[in-house]
Amino acid sequence: MYNVKQISADGFWVGAADRRIALFENAFPVPRGMSYNAYLILDEKNVLVDTVDAAVTGVFFENIAHLLGDRSLDYVIIQHAEPDHTAALQELILRYPQLTVVGNERTFKILNQFFSCPIKSFVVQEGDSLKTGSHTFLFNFAPMVHWPEVMMSYDSKDRILYSADAFGTFGALNGSIFADEVQFESDWLPEARRYYANIVGKYGRQVQSILQKIVPLNIEQICPLHGPLWRKNSAWFIEKYQKWATYRSEELSVMIAYASIYGNTKNAAEILAHLLDEGGIKNVALYDVSVTHPSYIVAEAFRCSHIVFASPTYNAGIFCTMETVLLDLKAHNLQNRTVAFIENGSWSPQSGSTMRSILNTMQDINILDTVVTLKSSVKEEQLSALKTLSADIIHTIHAATPIINHAAKIEVNALFKLTYGIFVLTVKDQYKDNGCIVNTVIQVTDNPKRISVTVNKANYTHDSILKTKVFNVSILTTDVPFSLIQHFGFQSGKTVDKCADKLFKRSDNGLYYIDDYANAFISGSVIQAHDYGTHTEFIADVTQAVVLSHTPSATYQYYFDHIKPKPQLKSEKKKVYVCKTCGYIYEGDPLPSDFICPLCKHGADDFELLEQ
Ligand code: FEO
């Protein structure tokens, strides 16, 4: 029996779930199953966006037949030629012989390698569009996210981005198909992170490239090929992608990955975990690499800023399961982490130096000097070394932690950070937390310290300040992603709960402030409000002012010059070469004959032209 779900006035999810699957791609455990999303849009010409995996074609064809009735299926857009999305294509062509398959040159090259049936093809280039009646689909190529032919489709009528593998997750959909109807951060984020890290984690540069392309689009809904759909708060998930794609950790925390034969290396790992916990480090994670599948450890490595590898010496090298994990992390291009080693060896401990030799080949890995060496088991000498290692790790975490000195209450330097800049103004009334973007904060007096902020009366934030007489101003920095400004500035708190996921910290007045991408926050208590017609100017005593970082403030001009994306729906045609070994993308022509791939170090001969 069919099982469809409406996603817009004339758009439908026609996918299905597989809960019998043990290993996705025969490699990654998926204990919660897997969903294969596909979408049907009914228009003058009916268009299907992708098909599904072979395991779920039965209900997929029932879904399409139910929605189409007597109507024809005119187009299928193949965003990604991997068989988990094209296994049904050959039967689809047999069932709907008039069907035109939409893809790029690379798509058809791969499809013709998998299939032998005739395909009525419509070849598109980057920036081309397909009009099906009232809908127009714009194509943005996303090479190596996750295969070279991948492209995304933006429906400009419904403002839906069909995002292929990007923004997907492991796990079968259960009832609801929308991220805002499930507990995504607690129930889905770990699997979304594991999916990202293991499927496209290697291709951070290419993910950054497609994020640049999609941010200018006016997106109301993101529909990936796996997992929940995003119709609210997608900026939060896009920001996760920006962090993962640039190999920045999500948390200042520690993962300890250990291998242990008789329990002594495990003992050292657990002692270190307790020392770190006693030192105030939150969310320390311990994994036995012989028990936990490497995909979970790769995912945790993308979450944590620090990683400790603990391994016995084995065959004069590293324990086999630890070697697998280290090579997996290297294969997924993990970068920008601080690492340390615990080695064990009853007669000739060598695993530390062997682990170091692998980590030394990875980019931006800071290896701590302290190595804890066990000769069979933990004795007083090793306990002392573990305490030293714990102190070293805690020191580097504190050095990377934004400066927060609440005892000082008002830091003059926080006020010096104030410019005619760009700020997040946060409030909280009896109903909810909210915030908006303003550029009108100035310091009006030094003694007492007072600031003013002018707010448009149409803003929900305005009414909250009138009622509660308190607010926070977070001073945004030059590295702020556009998505954060988009989140607070391009939607109204009257219709959207911008703080639904409680991602921020609270100041002494109980209001949220932005602790990432802000160099200071200032709390204000309103003493006067001046009505200026369309706006109200609020004069406020500063009740708290805290420096959070030393990153420069973003001026309003800087925002326009460097942060706000320039529209580029139809990009200029470029020659693109892809490394056949690792997928690294080189844009430009010609590819220099002496070019060396910066990732895998293969030469120009191992590159091939991707598109023209
Ligand atoms: Fe979901 Fe890369 O296939």
Side-chain angles (χ1 to χ4, degrees), residues 273-379:
H274 288 154
L275 290 168
L276 290 168
D277 178 65
E278 286 166 10
I281 306 302
K282 302 296 180 201
N283 299 330
V284 175
L286 272 164
Y287 293 98
D288 184 328
V289 297
S290 299
V291 174
T292 303
H293 190 272
S295 63
Y296 291 89
I297 295 173
V298 170
E300 283 290 81
F302 272 68
R303 178 180 70 84
C304 295
S305 58
H306 290 60
I307 308 169
V308 178
F309 299 101
S311 174
T313 301
Y314 203 69
N315 291 331
I318 322 167
F319 192 69
C320 44
T321 49
M322 177 60 79
E323 186 170 28
T324 299
V325 162
L326 293 176
L327 294 178
D328 219 13
L329 291 172
K330 178 177 172 168
H332 288 90
N333 213 5
L334 183 74
Q335 305 169 24
N336 191 29
R337 294 294 186 274
T338 296
V339 305
F341 304 117
I342 300 172
E343 62 178 358
N344 197 349
S346 292
W347 58 94
S348 178
Q350 294 179 40
S351 51
S353 60
T354 319
M355 289 191 285
R356 180 185 291 266
S357 68
I358 295 176
L359 270 297
N360 270 338
T361 63
M362 296 163 62
Q363 290 185 48
D364 295 329
I365 300 293
N366 172 37
I367 300 177
L368 296 181
D369 292 334
T370 305
V371 176
V372 178
T373 299
L374 277 65
K375 289 197 169 177
S376 301
S377 66
V378 177
K379 305 290 186 196

Side-chain angles (χ1 to χ4, degrees), residues 24-25 80 82 84-85 146-147 165 195 199 226:
F24 179 68
E25 292 184 356
H80 185 11
E82 193 168 5
D84 58 331
H85 309 295
H146 145 235
W147 280 15
D165 270 348
Y195 171 89
I199 302 299
H226 302 286

Side-chain angles (χ1 to χ4, degrees), residues 55 143 260 278 308 349 444 458 488 491 517:
S260 193
E278 286 166 10
V308 178
V444 292
F488 282 105
Q491 51 187 352
Y517 309 115

